[in-house]
Amino acid sequence: MDKKTALVLGAGGFIGSHMVKRLRSEGYWVRGVDLKYPDFTMSAADEFIQDDLRDVGLVARALDVEGDTFDEIYQFAADMGGAGYIFTDEHSADIMHNSATINLNVLNEQVALNRLLGVNKTKIFYSSSACMYPEHNQLDPDNPDCREESAYPANPDSEYGWEKLFSERLYLAYHHNYNIPVRIARYHNIFGPEGTWEGGKEKAPAAICRKVANACDEDSIEVWGDGLQTRSFLYIDECIEATRRLMDSECTKPLNIGSEEMVTINQLVDIAAKVAGKKITKVYVDGPTGVRGRNSNNDLVREELMWDYFMTLEEGIKKTYEWIRWQVSKQIYAEVE
Ligand code: NAD
């Protein structure tokens, strides 16, 4: 093929579907694979395979593009969700089994195809998570330590985080033993339009925007825990830009991709309420909250990629709130009809 080629695994998901759009806009020929099509738009992929990446035969077929290997693979497919899904421990076995199986299949089948064709050109991007950082460094909400080098001794607070850590090591092992060019990002809470916003797998920014959109002025909304847990959130366009830069770099070390604008969940609610122009009070209820504090540390990514976030959380929430408010109103109209 005369164009550059990319395979996006998890192309029906939030980050994957945005990445497909970006790659197409750069002129790539893109094949997407996912269990499902994107929830909110048509996929921009040239070809979309709706199938299960736990099936090793499917993975072997998906990696082959007209008798050649892809130039780039973006591996976003994972069994994942927000705190309500990954921190309750009700889905841990599925999360670990499903996501690890996909990663094992991708790497092993890529090595087999490389051997068959006598090539080794395919760069593979793996989307790890800040959830792999040790819980003991994230107890103080004001001073969490998420420098890349703080990952060991390992102690993630969820099985989701342990699987991410295992898979990071798996990609690095295939790099060391089979010379597979790998790129690994540790994403910190990515949010924006076209992300899951209801149903139990949504993350905090989307859940809060939905609750605020559903609330009347001077209503209250429920917040899990005491709302004093801290996080940072990165807008989707910035995540895609940083990921493309990482892919184009020579860096094989895992890098944080996140924002350093740390807020409490209470502040996140206040920002969503401000953007919505509503006065909202908070009712604190029991719920899974994850670690007490987390913030991206961008020292290394700034050095390696010359990249940093620039959008404020309020700007990102404004765009996300508008989109979620539109989804909520579409749902209300559908119920009325
Ligand atoms: P997402 O759930 O929207 O996308 C993941 C996609 O993988 C889904 O569309 C799902 O259908 C697909 N998938 C799952 N199992 C599959 C299977 N067996 N076969 C084929 N497809 C399968 O999640 P996302 O927010 O787009 O996240 C993408 C990646 O980034 C994930 O690996 C996630 O762990 C990682 N990550 C995301 C965030 C974030 O804040 N969104 C933070 C850290 C890490």
Side-chain angles (χ1 to χ4, degrees):
M1 202 172 289
D2 49 1
K3 287 181 171 183
K4 278 189 94 175
T5 56
L7 175 65
V8 178
L9 307 174
F14 171 47
I15 303 175
S17 58
H18 281 272
M19 181 55 83
V20 170
K21 279 186 220 160
R22 169 68 183 257
L23 292 167
R24 285 296 314 276
S25 77
E26 289 187 36
Y28 281 72
W29 185 91
V30 181
R31 174 182 292 159
V33 185
D34 202 302
L35 287 170
K36 63 175 182 67
Y37 286 91
D39 291 329
F40 308 106
T41 50
M42 296 275 291
S43 173
D46 294 277
E47 185 183 301
F48 195 100
I49 302 174
Q50 187 179 10
D51 214 327
D52 192 335
L53 292 160
R54 289 169 299 183
D55 173 356
V56 69
L58 177 264
V59 172
R61 289 191 297 281
L63 295 179
D64 182 317
V65 56
E66 296 180 356
D68 196 0
T69 54
F70 278 89
D71 293 310
E72 297 174 6
I73 296 176
Y74 293 83
Q75 200 322 65
F76 298 111
D79 198 349
M80 78 93 99
Y85 187 73
I86 59 178
F87 298 136
T88 56
D89 212 25
E90 283 166 30
H91 311 283
S92 293
D94 287 344
I95 287 172
M96 297 186 89
H97 174 267
N98 294 340
S99 300
T101 303
I102 295 168
N103 291 315
L104 289 161
N105 283 348
V106 168
L107 285 161
N108 223 37
E109 292 311 303
Q110 186 64 48
V111 168
L113 187 61
N114 285 351
R115 278 205 185 120
L116 187 72
L117 300 176
V119 292
N120 188 9
K121 66 171 183 196
T122 311
K123 285 190 216 172
I124 309 186
F125 169 81
Y126 173 60
S127 48
S128 182
S129 165
C131 288
M132 49 65 62
Y133 282 114
E135 186 177 16
H136 54 252
N137 288 340
Q138 300 174 88
L139 299 174
D140 177 354
D142 297 323
N143 292 299
D145 181 3
C146 291
R147 287 168 300 123
E148 285 82 349
E149 67 194 63
S150 72
Y152 297 95
N155 183 25
D157 75 325
S158 65
E159 304 304 355
Y160 170 78
W162 277 106
E163 190 281 327
K164 287 293 184 194
L165 192 60
F166 163 77
S167 288
E168 276 191 11
R169 298 185 69 96
L170 184 71
Y171 280 84
L172 290 170
Y174 273 77
H175 173 61
H176 294 139
N177 294 166
Y178 297 108
N179 211 18
I180 298 285
V182 299
R183 306 287 183 269
I184 301 169
R186 293 174 180 163
Y187 285 152
H188 288 247
N189 282 310
I190 313 304
F191 75 103
E194 298 174 22
T196 306
W197 60 280
E198 61 169 356
K201 282 192 165 185
E202 66 277 19
K203 307 189 99 191
I208 288 168
C209 285
R210 185 198 67 232
K211 290 178 189 180
V212 171
N214 275 318
C216 297
D217 193 21
E218 310 218 342
D219 262 2
S220 59
I221 66 165
E222 288 188 349
V223 173
W224 287 348
D226 59 10
L228 295 174
Q229 60 276 28
T230 52
R231 291 292 184 279
S232 69
F233 304 93
L234 183 73
Y235 190 68
I236 181 70
D237 293 357
E238 306 207 287
C239 164
I240 297 293
E241 172 63 25
T243 304
R244 287 289 299 116
R245 284 200 198 191
L246 174 55
M247 200 56 147
D248 285 346
S249 79
E250 294 302 315
C251 183
T252 51
K253 290 181 270 194
L255 290 181
N256 287 332
I257 290 184
S259 161
E260 291 177 320
E261 184 184 344
M262 187 172 77
V263 293
T264 63
I265 298 300
N266 287 330
Q267 287 170 319
L268 179 64
V269 174
D270 295 343
I271 291 170
K274 181 181 168 199
V275 159
K278 296 178 184 177
K279 196 165 179 299
I280 297 288
T281 50
K282 306 163 195 96
V283 175
Y284 299 105
V285 296
D286 276 348
T289 55
V291 292
R292 197 66 183 144
R294 175 172 295 153
N295 191 13
S296 186
N297 178 308
N298 289 359
D299 291 347
L300 192 60
V301 72
R302 271 191 288 266
E303 191 183 308
E304 292 284 344
L305 304 186
M306 310 276 284
W307 172 87
D308 209 350
Y309 76 102
F310 65 88
M311 191 182 284
T312 64
L313 179 58
E314 187 172 323
E315 284 173 276
I317 288 293
K318 196 163 186 303
K319 291 170 189 276
T320 308
Y321 179 79
E322 285 309 321
W323 182 81
I324 290 181
R325 194 174 60 125
W326 178 51
Q327 301 302 315
V328 167
S329 50
K330 278 201 302 191
Q331 202 174 57
I332 292 168
Y333 284 130
E335 279 164 16
V336 169
E337 276 175 7

